[in-house]
Amino acid sequence: MQAAECTWTHFEMLRPLCFKSPSTTPLFFNFSKHFQKGFSDSSFFRSNRRISNYPSFMATISSLSTHKDPVSTHDATPNITHQPVQVAKRLEKFKTTIFTQMSMLAIKHGAINLGQGFPNFDGPDFVKEAAIQAIKDGKNQYARGYGVPDFNNAIAARFKKDTGLVIDPEKEVTVTSGCTEAIAATMLGLINPGDEVILFAPFYDSYEATLSMAGAKVKCITLRPPDFAVPIDELKSTISKNTRAILINTPHNPTGKMFTREELNTIASLCIENDVLVFTDEVYDKLAFEMDHISMASLPGMYERTVTMNSLGKTFSLTGWKIGWAIAPPHLTWGVRQAHSFLTFATSTPMQYAATVALQAPDSYFAELKRDYMAKKAILVQGLKDVGFKVFPSSGTYFVVVDHTPFGLENDIAFCEYLIKEVGVVAIPTSVFYLNPDDGKNLVRFTFCKDEETLRSAVERMKEKLKKK
Amino acid sequence: MEGKLSSVAKNFTPSPIQELSQLAQRCNAINLAEGFPDFPAPPCIKEAAVSAINNDFNQYRHVQGICDQLALKMKKTHGLDVNPLTDIAICCGQSEAFAAAIFSIINQGDEVLLFDPCYETYEGCITLAGGIPVYVALEPPQWTLDPEKLMRSFTSRTKAIVLNSPHNPTGKVFSRDELEIIAEGCRRWDCVAITDEVYEYITYDNQKHETIAKLPGMQERTIITSSLSKTFSVTGWRIGWAIAPASAASTIQNIHIRITDSAPAPFQEAALTALRSPIEYFETLRGVYELKRDFCMKLLGSVGFRIQFKPQGSLFLFAELPKDCLLSDVEYVEELIQQAGVVVVPGRGFFHGNESCKYQKRYIRVAFCKSEATLNAAAQKFGELINAKACPKIVY
């Protein structure tokens, strides 16, 4: 008989950290302050109804349809009485409306999509087959909350290979539904309301959202072109004994920047000095082209205060499987596991078995991955330069940001709309990744996680139709 | 670093339940504890998942077809009009749907009513969101709802009530009258009902599951959460949903996207196949589980249990220890592991509240969502004990 993996072992979990949100209104339609959504924001309903979180906003192109605003069709219920709720400032900043408008335009104009942050090719057969085998073998029930043991072991082995650090898979690894959930669980599990957290802009938009769910006070440091280097003086003046944590995404979405050893060392010493935690998002670590990827956790004195997060999706082109993980010392893992157990409880079982196989892929897999992406990058980067963009160097990820101002449009959103309508190519306006949108208005992001033909076609279209002013 | 941990973290101590779990593993016990099946999921649904993986449904997605199917089901089963384009959020399991629902409406200090006993995870979510769980005890042995007790529990700070029906751990299915009482409370106090209906298709003796959302004045103030997991024996696939008025559904969707961004893509595809299952599937499901329920009742009867409340739904039997048994729930479970090699769950973990009622330590929960082989093996072990007449602590 199978040994007990009892779902009731979570009884021993104690109350996790509480977090505050200020609103006290009892009405149903007054949601907790961070998530108020106005009925005036009806474009949300009119278009694809999916708030376009950054990497996935194009995902629903195939399921888009035009439809009317919702009309109550209830028979017996009385009128819903409510005041139209003002859209919270925070939600405005997320620019979700922009994304949905972009999606609609893209379809309407048959644009080539270099905006969406996921591949238009699929993952390797050996990983897919492992998932299929797991389903057939009956691995379809709840996995252990913090991960299937074999998978935790594989994560630890991979981490050792990549960083040299030896960790305990049972006590220091937590499996989550994608790196997105690892980030949410880390924030909710380790950040108290009112804690200061430092973010580098531009940033993946879920960071800000989950930080606001955790009630954190966000302090933002902007990385600027051309090299998006960390402004050390600004960092020194921002970090203090009041700082609870700093979030680092390297290789960095959207700029492709990779934090250098020097930068990481400086950040590390400031963190040690001020007793600050570090949360790292390293999902693009295998897409490191111009330099070696460095994990903050591997720096002296840093493992004990770092949560290292990663996922399967980007490395294995299986972004929809939602397999991620967080590696941290036991006292931090505890907080992550607490929150995780209340967010999703357990992660997809068959995919964990497949991920175990994936992480054990031979070096040749990763070498080939890099080669493929570098070839794609060359096509795009050269193409963008030929077209006339100012292209900033991107050391890692499958993104590159460019300055669009040579083409005379007033800001990034206007440029992207123009690009879709007149040229037939999609890029992402980067202003959505900044606390202050103005910081991003000259920049747009292209992705090269597409097959070569798509990349070439997009470049051709831009060469043909995009003219400098 | 120690100084940065929360005070809650510092109070962590190992629990007797954790220790029992480890004991069960060491003894390789027959598992009637965990609430998931040890038999295979339906082949056609697994095939649909395999096919999805092969056909490259492996990137982030939102499968609108699931919402369409769910809207059809809501109309057919409950007569509810649900807009598939605006009223449904697909999540990573009912777990995430519930968490997102709580985060969408609970503010610091909001009270949330829960029926006691109940599934442990609700409280954790509520507390994580800054809410205050308030328990309303169902009264043994029939787990009846006392209307006055319920009404007294509502205050001006009550924001929501959680309703899990069919109910884990008792197997109770809330009756129409009981739903009316709860609805009255919600309407009077302007509260939201958040339901957990994961066992919606697992009811017995011709009992039907009804959602509170269909009662007058309730659809506009109910968030329904459910999933594929128990209906289709795929608890590890993490496909669930929330159905609610558009504003709530969109907020839940927003939150879901920030927590996980997408439910596993190939399983969303497979969900389409699952949700289109013919009515015979659900009838067979019910029938098979009813037989298992009856088997388990007999099993416990054979060792002296007097089952006063027959489960009307869910996958669990919540049984009070025999009168002559002087052991606590934890002690009984320990004996059962060691003497019979069978593991069940001590009931105390499901009880909360300030009532220091003795009955809270007198229940065990048995999961009967197990294969015939497992149930027969358990029966055999019990049989041996009865025949040997050497186990006074288990056989009464």
Side-chain angles (χ1 to χ4, degrees):
Chain A
M1 286 293 153
Q2 189 184 353
E5 275 191 15
C6 297
T7 56
W8 40 271
T9 55
H10 60 259
F11 285 171
E12 79 274 15
M13 301 273 195
L14 297 178
R15 281 156 194 266
L17 305 171
C18 295
F19 78 86
K20 298 177 177 37
S21 42
S23 170
T24 54
T25 53
L27 292 176
F28 177 56
F29 292 106
N30 268 317
F31 300 116
S32 54
K33 193 170 179 204
H34 303 303
F35 298 101
Q36 282 172 356
K37 189 112 181 68
F39 289 87
S40 54
D41 192 29
S42 56
S43 59
F44 171 76
F45 301 126
R46 215 179 288 125
S47 52
N48 79 351
R49 85 159 289 271
R50 184 149 195 236
I51 295 292
S52 308
N53 190 40
Y54 173 62
S56 51
F57 81 99
M58 293 298 189
T60 52
I61 281 175
S62 58
S63 56
L64 281 174
S65 55
T66 51
H67 57 273
K68 304 189 186 62
D69 288 333
V71 170
S72 173
T73 53
H74 307 161
D75 292 329
T77 49
N79 285 332
I80 297 169
T81 51
H82 58 80
Q83 309 298 335
V85 175
Q86 198 182 11
V87 175
K89 289 261 182 281
R90 265 189 201 89
L91 283 183
E92 278 178 355
K93 278 189 291 194
F94 296 154
K95 297 279 190 254
T96 55
T97 321
I98 297 292
F99 281 121
T100 53
Q101 281 168 10
M102 293 283 170
S103 311
M104 294 299 291
L105 275 181
I107 293 183
K108 197 168 152 196
H109 296 273
I112 297 176
N113 206 313
L114 300 191
Q116 56 193 179
F118 56 90
N120 69 346
F121 47 83
D122 210 41
D125 284 339
F126 74 96
V127 180
K128 288 167 34 172
E129 272 147 28
I132 289 170
Q133 194 56 49
I135 293 168
K136 290 182 174 168
D137 288 346
K139 308 261 193 273
N140 299 307
Q141 308 308 328
Y142 290 125
R144 186 178 64 175
Y146 58 94
V148 165
D150 280 348
F151 186 38
N152 286 46
N153 291 340
I155 292 169
R158 189 75 233 171
F159 194 61
K160 172 156 189 244
K161 193 155 195 241
D162 292 340
T163 65
L165 291 171
V166 173
I167 59 169
D168 183 341
E170 292 300 293
K171 300 204 180 104
E172 298 176 298
V173 175
T174 305
V175 175
T176 55
S177 292
C179 188
T180 306
E181 199 215 335
I183 294 164
T186 298
M187 304 291 200
L188 288 169
L190 298 177
I191 300 296
N192 285 305
D195 280 352
E196 261 180 39
V197 177
I198 295 176
L199 269 192
F200 292 103
F203 47 73
Y204 174 62
D205 66 347
S206 92
Y207 299 163
E208 202 200 345
T210 41
L211 280 170
S212 74
M213 271 170 78
K217 222 164 57 176
V218 175
K219 292 215 157 165
C220 198
I221 295 178
T222 304
L223 304 176
R224 298 185 192 283
D227 55 3
F228 302 102
V230 176
I232 298 294
D233 289 337
E234 198 184 327
L235 179 61
K236 282 185 175 160
S237 66
T238 310
I239 200 170
S240 74
K241 298 250 184 297
N242 292 327
T243 310
R244 167 74 167 154
I246 182 167
L247 180 48
I248 295 173
N249 171 216
T250 179
H252 183 248
N253 171 12
T255 65
K257 167 201 173 52
M258 290 178 64
F259 283 63
T260 63
R261 188 169 287 279
E262 211 177 44
E263 284 172 327
L264 291 175
N265 276 328
T266 306
I267 297 171
S269 60
L270 287 168
C271 288
I272 292 170
E273 198 186 309
N274 293 284
D275 197 15
V276 175
L277 299 178
V278 180
F279 303 153
T280 68
D281 171 356
E282 304 183 17
V283 291
Y284 298 101
D285 68 338
K286 299 292 178 285
L287 301 183
F289 306 124
E290 310 300 329
M291 55 180 267
D292 286 337
H293 169 76
I294 303 164
S295 285
M296 178 63 105
S298 65
L299 268 53
M302 289 310 290
Y303 180 75
E304 70 198 52
R305 57 180 65 254
T306 305
V307 180
T308 307
M309 296 174 282
N310 210 326
S311 78
L312 196 72
K314 311 300 195 284
T315 311
F316 292 93
S317 311
L318 296 163
T319 59
W321 281 20
K322 309 311 296 165
I323 297 292
W325 56 89
I327 295 171
H331 63 279
L332 297 181
T333 291
W334 182 86
V336 176
R337 284 185 186 178
Q338 284 278 58
H340 160 66
S341 71
F342 301 122
L343 289 176
T344 60
F345 181 65
T347 306
S348 159
T349 311
M351 300 343 197
Q352 288 191 58
Y353 283 92
T356 306
V357 169
L359 288 189
Q360 290 160 351
D363 290 346
S364 55
Y365 172 81
F366 300 99
E368 200 183 314
L369 181 79
K370 256 172 83 162
R371 265 200 313 272
D372 282 349
Y373 271 120
M374 285 176 80
K376 295 176 198 296
K377 181 176 173 182
I379 295 171
L380 182 67
V381 168
Q382 191 55 52
L384 292 172
K385 284 180 176 163
D386 291 346
V387 169
F389 287 100
K390 177 156 185 229
V391 181
F392 297 109
S394 155
S395 309
T397 77
Y398 42 49
F399 302 115
V400 60
V401 287
V402 303
D403 185 322
H404 65 80
T405 53
F407 302 101
L409 278 306
E410 63 168 312
N411 61 38
D412 55 335
I413 292 163
F415 178 78
C416 286
E417 282 177 359
Y418 178 83
L419 195 66
I420 293 175
K421 286 183 194 164
E422 305 301 329
V423 181
V425 174
V426 188
I428 294 297
T430 60
S431 54
V432 299
F433 301 124
Y434 290 86
L435 274 188
N436 175 6
D438 261 1
D439 285 340
K441 69 178 188 187
N442 292 343
L443 304 174
V444 296
R445 186 196 80 173
F446 286 95
T447 176
F448 50 89
C449 53
K450 307 291 164 190
D451 63 85
E452 291 189 11
E453 197 186 304
T454 303
L455 294 170
R456 285 187 219 279
S457 304
V459 167
E460 281 316 304
R461 282 194 189 183
M462 287 190 281
K463 278 183 182 165
E464 214 183 288
K465 299 193 185 162
L466 200 49
K467 301 297 175 202
K468 279 189 182 181
K469 295 284 153 77
Chain B
M1 185 56 59
E2 288 301 312
K4 292 238 166 176
L5 293 178
S6 66
S7 50
V8 163
K10 294 178 194 161
N11 285 333
F12 178 63
T13 54
S15 82
I17 289 169
Q18 172 85 18
E19 284 157 8
L20 281 175
S21 168
Q22 286 163 4
L23 175 63
Q25 279 193 18
R26 285 198 300 273
C27 299
N28 219 12
I30 295 171
N31 202 310
L32 302 186
E34 56 204 359
F36 57 86
D38 63 358
F39 47 80
C44 60
I45 294 167
K46 292 197 292 192
E47 273 150 29
V50 167
S51 173
I53 293 171
N54 279 329
N55 289 323
D56 300 344
F57 287 103
N58 295 309
Q59 311 307 327
Y60 298 120
R61 61 196 296 110
H62 160 84
V63 176
Q64 183 58 30
I66 295 176
C67 303
D68 298 335
Q69 285 298 317
L70 288 173
L72 284 174
K73 274 208 170 335
M74 292 307 285
K75 182 74 187 179
K76 196 165 172 204
T77 316
H78 301 294
L80 281 173
D81 287 311
V82 167
N83 185 332
L85 291 162
T86 61
D87 297 353
I88 304 177
I90 301 168
C91 297
C92 291
Q94 182 272 342
S95 302
E96 201 209 354
F98 184 84
I102 290 288
F103 279 116
S104 74
I105 61 169
I106 298 301
N107 289 307
Q108 178 76 14
D110 282 348
E111 287 174 8
V112 180
L113 296 185
L114 295 148
F115 292 107
D116 208 32
C118 79
Y119 178 58
E120 179 68 13
T121 303
Y122 305 142
E123 176 174 326
C125 275
I126 292 164
T127 315
L128 194 62
I132 299 168
V134 174
Y135 289 96
V136 179
L138 298 172
E139 279 157 32
Q142 302 295 321
W143 310 110
T144 40
L145 169 59
D146 178 344
E148 276 171 40
K149 193 194 284 188
L150 175 63
M151 287 309 172
R152 275 200 309 273
S153 307
F154 281 93
T155 72
S156 57
R157 283 178 308 278
T158 311
K159 188 71 180 282
I161 179 166
V162 174
L163 177 57
N164 169 219
S165 180
H167 186 244
N168 171 12
T170 65
K172 171 187 175 67
V173 172
F174 284 72
S175 67
R176 170 64 81 113
D177 288 343
E178 287 169 326
L179 294 180
E180 293 281 5
I181 294 164
I182 298 167
E184 177 55 27
C186 288
R187 287 187 295 255
R188 208 189 292 174
W189 292 89
D190 194 19
C191 289
V192 175
I194 303 177
T195 71
D196 172 358
E197 303 183 23
V198 291
Y199 303 104
E200 56 187 312
Y201 293 107
I202 304 170
T203 55
Y204 310 119
D205 306 320
N206 295 321
Q207 176 97 22
K208 276 221 159 340
H209 162 70
E210 286 194 293
T211 181
I212 199 172
K214 69 194 255 199
L215 268 55
M218 286 309 290
Q219 186 171 8
E220 74 217 47
R221 59 177 71 254
T222 303
I223 300 173
I224 295 172
T225 68
S226 192
S227 75
L228 284 189
S229 294
K230 307 300 196 295
T231 311
F232 297 98
S233 308
V234 286
T235 59
W237 283 15
R238 321 314 291 139
I239 300 291
W241 51 83
I243 300 173
S247 55
S250 82
T251 306
I252 290 168
Q253 177 82 341
N254 286 356
I255 295 168
H256 151 70
I257 286 173
R258 269 81 191 191
I259 297 178
T260 63
D261 192 49
S262 161
F267 299 135
Q268 286 193 55
E269 286 301 314
L272 290 176
T273 303
L275 291 172
R276 286 196 279 251
S277 297
I279 198 155
E280 292 76 34
Y281 173 81
F282 300 95
E283 283 165 8
T284 309
L285 181 79
R286 202 171 284 136
V288 162
Y289 275 132
E290 191 165 320
L291 289 174
K292 293 180 195 288
R293 174 201 66 171
D294 295 343
F295 187 94
C296 262
M297 288 183 64
K298 248 175 84 181
L299 195 61
L300 288 186
S302 73
V303 290
F305 280 78
R306 230 187 95 234
I307 309 291
Q308 290 187 289
F309 182 74
K310 199 170 172 190
Q312 304 160 313
S314 90
L315 305 169
F316 306 108
L317 182 55
F318 203 51
E320 191 181 0
L321 296 175
K323 291 273 182 290
D324 299 336
C325 176
L326 301 175
L327 302 178
S328 73
D329 55 347
V330 168
E331 288 163 345
Y332 187 88
V333 171
E334 194 171 359
E335 280 297 313
L336 202 62
I337 294 171
Q338 286 178 330
Q339 307 299 333
V342 173
V343 60
V344 298
V345 183
R348 70 176 64 181
F350 297 98
F351 290 105
H352 310 81
N354 297 321
E355 306 172 56
S356 51
C357 304
K358 288 215 179 87
Y359 69 76
Q360 295 188 2
K361 298 190 171 138
R362 296 282 302 164
Y363 278 84
I364 56 167
R365 189 195 77 172
V366 181
F368 49 81
C369 45
K370 305 294 167 190
S371 67
E372 273 184 41
T374 306
L375 294 175
N376 284 331
Q380 177 148 12
K381 294 273 188 176
F382 276 42
E384 284 164 17
L385 287 181
I386 294 166
N387 290 337
K389 297 188 195 207
C391 215
K393 286 188 175 176
I394 297 177
V395 182
Y396 291 90

